Amino acid sequence: MTDTSSRRIVVFDTTLRDGEQSPGASMNLQEKLEIAEALVELGVDVIEAGFPIASPGDFEAVRQIAQNVRGSVICGLARCRDDDIDRAWEAVRHAEQPRIHVFLATSAIHREHKLKMTKEDIVRRAVEGVKRAVGYCSNVEFSPEDAARTEIDFLCQVVEAAIAAGATTVNIPDTVGYATPAHMHHVIATLVQRVPNIDKAVISVHCHNDLGMAVANSLAAVEAGAGQVECTINGIGERAGNCSLEEIVMALRTRHDYYRADTRVNTRRLVPTSRLVAGITGIQVQRNKAIVGQNAFAHEAGIHQDGMLKEPRTYEIMRPEDVGWAKSDLVLGKHSGRAALGSRAKAMGYRLTPEQLNAVFEQFKVLADKKKDIYDADIAALIEQQMHVVPDQWTLESYELHSGTGRTPEVTLTVRRGSEVHTTRVSDGDGPIDAVFLAIERLTGIGVVCKDFRVHSVTVGKDAQGEVMVQVEHRGETFRGRGVSTDSVEASALAFLNAINRIAASQPAAQSAPQA
């Protein structure tokens, strides 16, 4: 890099738009609002809240976020079509800082096979789209979709025309994750050198991770002059995902000596925000994920441990507490009180209401009777389970299960709904978990197709809590559920009930009735 001055990079988060396009990651309105508020607290500059014309639900989510969330630019996506742009403006118009993001494919393969348009048609449509958006608000972003595979001369032409039409940000997407760092650096550097009005707009980059280079390509773009990076929490998104927000932020912060660039992100909120998004979407973070993975700051090799004891910087280039990990992992036991639990939750980045703290504390006391040592991950699991409770619905009272090799499982299961208690016995199913699920379906009167079932250990040891994630389909819609317990069968029942409760909450009460 030739410029040694420090500059601030705009962080554009698209978790609620591109991130939601991850298979199975759809979110309801309340969940989107919760994530949007967390992104503001994280310090994200721009929140792409959705694609308003995609569906009535998407429109309403963007509109609600624009009306209720303050502290970040709220952006709506639109194709270069009049109805798209009109709909996007209608959704974001009440935002404190609205932005319309228009896009149009420019690569030869898209022009010829998808759009059936000439280069001249593309330039004309792009200019018309930008001008229509500028007619609504001054903050307009233009993206030439598949820019990384667009002929560089034509890309320069389109970018220049979009800026002349009023675009204040020009975003260069690597839509299919095709670029390499050297390639992306060349594209951005060429735009800086050859587009005469490039200084009138912020250069942005939007990289996908199909070849595992989204973060590297984004950093290369910053090095070449990009001033905005588009990314998602945990790197979720279409196909292999997007540039990971936590990785790009910490790379710029840790290697400020090289990039001379930083963001306004509150890095201590990275881990709590990562946990929130993972809990809501059901897409869990891999253990060895950089920055927010469970093993990101773990040291098992003896030589590493020896070095860490002598000087942490020998094997850690970042402090775990700087990204939201707690200094100490083993924190509480059965004699710990409510105040200690609340203090620990706050230190971990959670903001609990008194009612939520009381509910978590009750669950904590039950867990403390089962486990000698309670880790941060245990506390996080209890908190996240409580934060996503669907109120006034079915709760598990008890179950009794008889099963064995070559034997048809038999389960007696009791659930409560308000003051009513219902019990059923099922002698069916392909294994004990299936029998429990069948019993819950019979009791609640809600039938589903189970599309995904995952269980993993929250911490370590034979007494570790099991966390179960289920994804079910009901009348063409997908719902997720989550349950945690030291008993994996109970965790499975809790997760399945959580999904059933989400279904019940989304439909009239008369449609779900208990069965004998």
Side-chain angles (χ1 to χ4, degrees):
M1 293 180 68
T2 57
D3 183 8
T4 58
S5 63
S6 183
R7 58 199 178 100
R8 189 167 75 79
I9 303 302
V10 175
V11 174
F12 178 112
D13 183 274
T14 185
T15 301
L16 295 173
R17 202 276 300 170
D18 204 327
E20 199 197 16
Q21 292 174 207
S22 300
S26 59
M27 314 167 210
N28 62 36
L29 175 58
Q30 189 55 47
E31 290 169 338
K32 288 184 178 182
L33 283 166
E34 188 175 354
I35 288 177
E37 293 287 2
L39 292 174
V40 171
E41 191 171 354
L42 180 63
V44 163
D45 298 287
V46 184
I47 298 172
E48 188 165 56
F51 192 2
I53 205 166
S55 70
D58 227 30
F59 171 83
E60 184 60 22
V62 177
R63 190 177 71 86
Q64 289 280 355
I65 290 169
Q67 288 182 335
N68 295 292
V69 176
R70 296 291 181 264
S72 297
V73 173
I74 305 300
C75 177
L77 184 68
R79 293 166 294 189
C80 282
R81 297 181 180 180
D82 290 355
D83 51 348
D84 275 43
I85 296 166
D86 297 346
R87 191 68 166 160
W89 172 245
E90 188 63 29
V92 303
R93 64 186 305 169
H94 296 297
E96 181 182 48
Q97 304 172 73
R99 175 184 290 191
I100 298 175
H101 179 191
V102 296
F103 72 95
L104 180 66
T106 54
S107 67
I109 193 168
H110 279 253
R111 294 195 310 266
E112 296 166 14
H113 297 283
K114 185 178 80 171
L115 299 176
K116 310 291 185 184
M117 294 170 66
T118 65
K119 289 182 178 179
E120 292 73 20
D121 293 333
I122 294 291
V123 174
R124 176 179 49 79
R125 178 76 66 82
V127 168
E128 290 173 350
V130 171
K131 285 184 175 179
R132 190 174 188 89
V134 170
Y136 287 125
C137 72
S138 59
N139 192 339
V140 173
E141 177 171 336
F142 172 73
S143 287
E145 185 185 2
D146 204 24
R149 294 194 296 174
T150 299
E151 308 93 319
I152 193 65
D153 290 343
F154 182 54
L155 182 62
C156 289
Q157 180 185 351
V158 175
V159 167
E160 180 180 353
I163 295 172
T168 51
T169 299
V170 284
N171 177 51
I172 308 303
D174 182 21
T175 304
V176 292
Y178 178 75
T180 65
H183 175 185
M184 185 57 73
H185 187 285
H186 172 70
V187 170
I188 303 300
T190 301
L191 292 173
V192 171
Q193 294 163 7
R194 290 177 48 185
V195 175
N197 58 356
I198 197 69
D199 61 321
K200 306 297 184 185
V202 175
I203 303 174
S204 174
V205 64
H206 177 113
C207 296
H208 278 264
N209 206 40
D210 298 71
L211 293 176
M213 291 187 280
V215 173
N217 288 338
S218 299
L219 288 169
V222 169
E223 187 177 358
Q228 174 178 287
V229 174
E230 306 199 355
C231 45
T232 61
I233 300 297
N234 299 335
I236 65 173
E238 192 85 51
R239 304 181 313 279
N242 289 268
C243 173
S244 166
L245 182 146
E246 55 277 0
E247 292 179 27
I248 194 78
V249 165
M250 290 311 297
L252 292 174
R253 177 91 29 111
T254 305
R255 292 307 313 274
H256 186 269
D257 63 313
Y258 180 75
Y259 292 104
R260 298 294 178 184
D262 205 348
T263 70
R264 74 179 187 100
V265 167
N266 175 7
T267 61
R268 291 176 180 266
R269 297 294 305 164
L270 289 172
V271 169
T273 309
S274 167
R275 285 171 171 161
L276 174 67
V277 171
I280 286 177
T281 62
I283 300 176
Q284 295 303 301
V285 175
Q286 68 201 57
R287 293 180 69 96
N288 64 330
K289 169 78 165 63
I291 315 301
V292 295
Q294 194 171 339
N295 291 354
F297 294 91
H299 302 274
E300 186 167 334
I303 190 170
H304 285 212
Q305 292 173 343
D306 179 63
M308 284 291 296
L309 290 171
K310 293 174 178 174
E311 171 50 65
R313 289 177 298 174
T314 54
Y315 288 101
E316 280 188 354
I317 59 173
M318 300 167 282
R319 298 191 310 164
E321 57 267 31
D322 287 344
V323 300
W325 290 108
K327 284 186 177 181
S328 171
D329 193 39
L330 186 61
V331 290
L332 298 173
K334 67 184 297 180
H335 300 296
S336 300
R338 189 188 318 267
L341 178 63
S343 175
R344 195 68 198 145
K346 185 176 181 180
M348 292 168 65
Y350 293 104
R351 304 292 183 265
L352 299 179
T353 65
E355 294 75 19
Q356 287 174 326
L357 178 58
N358 288 339
V360 172
F361 185 61
E362 291 304 314
Q363 296 170 348
F364 170 79
K365 289 193 295 184
V366 172
L367 179 62
D369 284 332
K370 299 177 181 179
K371 289 193 66 178
K372 178 182 177 181
D373 299 324
I374 298 179
Y375 296 83
D376 281 353
D378 291 312
I379 296 171
L382 293 179
I383 291 172
E384 287 160 14
Q385 179 172 253
Q386 179 59 37
M387 291 176 74
H388 299 108
V389 165
V390 181
D392 302 324
Q393 294 294 336
W394 305 97
T395 58
L396 179 66
E397 286 286 295
S398 65
Y399 81 91
E400 183 177 326
L401 179 66
H402 300 280
S403 184
T405 304
R407 174 179 174 177
T408 301
E410 181 179 289
V411 62
T412 301
L413 189 135
T414 301
V415 297
R416 176 183 294 275
R417 193 180 198 186
S419 60
E420 298 179 356
V421 176
H422 305 275
T423 300
T424 192
R425 178 176 296 172
V426 170
S427 299
D428 197 1
D430 183 18
I433 302 298
D434 191 35
V436 168
F437 288 1
L438 289 171
I440 291 173
E441 287 182 295
R442 177 181 296 180
L443 281 171
T444 62
I446 298 176
V448 301
V449 177
C450 188
K451 308 296 286 188
D452 192 20
F453 173 86
R454 283 171 287 155
V455 58
H456 75 275
S457 173
V458 172
T459 54
V460 295
K462 292 185 294 183
D463 61 352
Q465 289 192 101
E467 181 177 51
V468 173
M469 307 290 293
V470 298
Q471 182 175 301
V472 302
E473 188 176 282
H474 176 75
R475 298 179 180 174
E477 288 191 65
T478 299
F479 298 85
R480 290 183 301 276
R482 181 177 180 278
V484 178
S485 174
T486 53
D487 177 344
S488 59
V489 175
E490 182 180 61
S492 301
L494 292 170
F496 198 74
L497 266 176
N498 185 234
I500 292 292
N501 284 333
R502 290 174 183 270
I503 295 170
S506 71
Q507 61 189 24
Q511 292 183 353
S512 60
Q515 306 295 310

